[in-house]
Amino acid sequence: IGIHPPQGAAKQWWSYEDLAGDLGAATNHEAEQRIRRAVRKTHPGLLARLSFDTEAGGVGFTAEAEEDIRSVAAIGNELARSGRQS
């Protein structure tokens, strides 16, 4: 999962990409739910620091802290690698 630093007036780190296929989900909304469940299991407090904006074309999420966005990306990447459904 690619991440992007804040740019211009935006102060949040962000990611937006089509993750349905990578996570074995039928839709990106389902892929978001899989990521949310995995985050809740491994870093429960992290969900409160994230904002999701998923659309048909991709899963989008933002965080103010680089560490938070990197944690979510790592969780998503692990889900994609392992083929786990959380």
Side-chain angles (χ1 to χ4, degrees):
I1 295 176
I3 58 173
H4 307 278
Q7 296 179 352
K11 296 181 181 176
Q12 295 184 319
W13 289 78
W14 63 277
S15 177
Y16 182 85
E17 63 186 89
D18 185 349
L19 298 177
D22 291 341
L23 299 185
T27 66
N28 279 302
H29 290 285
E30 184 181 327
E32 176 190 325
Q33 292 308 309
R34 290 181 183 186
I35 291 172
R36 283 179 178 268
R37 283 192 297 271
V39 169
R40 191 176 297 113
K41 285 180 185 178
T42 58
H43 297 80
L46 180 56
L47 278 179
R49 299 190 304 270
L50 301 173
S51 293
F52 285 86
D53 184 19
T54 297
E55 300 172 3
V59 176
F61 53 91
T62 61
E64 290 192 20
E66 179 180 3
E67 179 180 341
D68 289 345
I69 200 94
R70 289 195 181 282
S71 293
V72 177
I75 289 167
N77 288 334
E78 178 58 29
L79 286 173
R81 272 192 302 275
S82 69
R84 280 194 317 244
Q85 294 187 20
S86 56

